[in-house]
Amino acid sequence: MISKSCLDLLNLISFDDFVALSRIPRVMTVPGVISEFENDVDEQDKDSSVAARERRIIVANQLPIRASRDDETGKWSFKYDDDSLVLQLKDGFSPDTEVVYIGSLNAEVAVSDQDDVSAVLLDRFRCVPTFLSADVHKKYYHGFCKHYLWPLFHYMLPLTPSHGARFDRAEWQAYVAANKVFADKVMEVINPDEDYVWIQDYHLMVLPSFLRKRFHRIKLGFFLHSPFPTSEIYRTLPVRDEILKSLLNCDLIGFHTFDYARHFLSCCSRMLGLNYESKRGYIGLDYYGRTVSIKIQPVGIHMGQLQSVLSMEETAVKVKELKERFDGKFVILGVDDMDLFKGISFKFLAMGKLLEQNPNLRGKVVLVQITNPARSSGKDVQDVENEINRIADEINTKFGKPGYDPIFNVKGPVSTQDKVPYYAIADCCVVNCVRDGMNLVPYKYTVSRQSSPVLDKFLGTADDEKESVIIVSEFIGCSPSLSGAIRVNPWNVDAVADAMSSAMRMSGWDKQMRHEKHYKYISSHNVAYWARSFDQDLERSCREHLFKRCWGVGLGFGFRIVALGPEFRKIGTHQIVNAYKTTNSRLILLDYDGTVMSQASVDKTPTALVISILNDLCSDPRNVVFIVSGRGKDSLSQWFSPCEKLGISAEHGYFTRWTRDSQWETSLLTTDFDWKKIAEPVMELYTETTDGSFIEHKQTAMVWHHQDSDPHFGTCQAKELLDHLENVLANEPVVVKKGQQIVEVKPQGVSKGMVVQKLISTMESSGKSPDFVLCIGDDRSDEDMFETIERSAANLSLPAIKEVFACTVGQKPSMARYYLDDTSEVINLLQGLADAAAHRKSHYPHDSEEESL
């Protein structure tokens, strides 16, 4: 089926456009001599073009394309970049899935060539290039991404101008502008009803907002390939809320490790007040009715690519050469980008320490360091390179001799084909990053050490057991998955040197066991597994799209989608006022905190407006109005003393009175409160250890509050307290419940649901069965009221309730069928009912007299 957006695009295309499209040549070089056209399309292609194909749109900063331009002819040539992760992940999709790539080229294309280049890349490579101006690209990539965001995500704060780049508003605007260009390209090719979009990495973190704003039900995933810092680091970002809210416009957000996901969830909690839940193994954030799923899955490597290189005869020749070159030496290998966070200088210092402490190893061990060029430029990169060269020269001068350099530096760029021989001959691999998102070097090393039949045959090692040793930093994403590696703190040079010494002394059997464990994991958790797993979870996360009504609210990066179930809708004042006017026996039930009084308010005394509205509603003899709260009866009595005819149900219904002057009725379920002697010391213990918490004492209940505590610590303590109280009170007639920033202990059988049941029963026995019920609340305890009301309305043995309005405050899963956004909307709704009552009274003053008779 063709989507509406697709039809809109087709309506803009004329017949001449189709003729022009048919003339696009299937060539790989432009401009210049055009190769012959392919006018004939075979029947198989026709059939496949008619059948609908699944499609994945992969959006990354850079396309998986290598581009080059001949200076003499002006022709462009393109080929796939086999080392590109976004190209390799295609293996995780079914063969019938079409994959479209959107990103920038690694070359500057003149404006006059851009249309031709775009046509060729789309036709031959299914790639859609994004062309940024030189100024925008410099500020976006080299400015905001590499010099500000990248260091910050790797825990480097720009404390001084000489210690990293500080936030620049112009660079942020360029970042936003670049993301908008990517969004425009996605919109050009997407079928929003069918396609799945997968965004890659920190370069495009505000892209989700642009796409979600355009297509409310777009199927959208995002994977972060860098670390996500702790909230203490992330909160220093001046645009922290904009980025978080944009990411939350995705359906699925992926991270390499639980630590990265935990830091993201902590930021959402501390800065946006969002809490997450884990259900059946899946972590989800509820964001305005949408569930944003969190995926934790480290990326893998492309096994086929490495195995192909290992099976090449050229590789075998190179391996043999390297073995002869380093014959008799223990080879330690390092493969890193020229980067501030790779810890190369620490690695060199550890090598120097090893040779200093073990003179007998001089001439017997060599550190081969392959260094790829930096991905960005600047003084910080140059300083790192200068330091690395200086340390290497010092160590080689101090411990070297003719024909032997302890540190053998191979400066890049070095292709995968040229790296594999070094992996294959290395006895040990050291990855010493001070911070890195994932780092696949240990994976590639392990697979290369597994060798291949061709390589084994060439070297005569077919019968040899495979061995490998990995020394890995604690601060990189691959560390948790390498359970057999020697983990080190890269800042501790002595510890790294000791790890190198341990690797040299390790027995062959130990090396074999570690290698076997690593190879089994790496070969089964390859890049195809990672992509397939993410894709399956993205499909699962998007299933609810069809079952919810969606609309967009908010401006700028505050934009978000409100998604609600088909039966869950916002209650309208006009709707409820009409029902109110046509009924004659009304029951109005109102929670207090979070409903008619804001949770954020320090002074909990009801306002004069609230008192006035309640008095207006109570003045109508057709109305029975109750405040149903968990608060104590003394404070509620004091606050609502101006309301003569208002009913109050305190402490979740244990105490009830129908008017100000009537007596308090108590529940006869229990009169034994000796359990307080057990609960109070436990609560006091947690109060002492949790700054900002306090205990609320009620006549029938005890409540531990932690809304003023640290969000994470308070929540953690609340879970512990809940478990502690359930254990010590297991034989007492009480229930322990966790509410909104509280833990409460109260008698069994006491609930707001019981209050509603009692009130409705009392009205029925007095001959005034309610034909209108309005119940408004905001937390878990109010769900008991909603459930009781729905059950009473559905009970055929009871008089039918004509109009039922169960309404929760806030858009969240609820037993209620209606919602209001906040307390101000609750007040406006009640004001509308009060005005309707006053209007009727002014037009029919005799009604009240007749009612009293």
Side-chain angles (χ1 to χ4, degrees), residues 673-683 702 721-737 743-746 748:
F673 298 106
D674 288 343
W675 55 265
K676 287 188 175 183
K677 298 176 183 178
I678 303 173
E680 186 172 7
V682 176
M683 285 191 174
M702 294 183 66
L721 175 59
L722 180 71
D723 183 62
H724 196 159
L725 289 172
E726 285 178 339
N727 285 330
V728 298
L729 298 173
N731 298 320
E732 300 294 330
V734 296
V735 292
V736 185
K737 284 192 173 182
V743 175
E744 183 172 21
V745 184
K746 62 180 182 179
Q748 289 178 347

Side-chain angles (χ1 to χ4, degrees), residues 592-593 596-607 631 639:
Y592 187 63
D593 292 284
V596 294
M597 172 58 63
S598 171
Q599 292 280 12
S601 177
V602 176
D603 183 5
K604 296 298 183 180
T605 306
T607 63
R631 283 190 175 272
W639 289 341

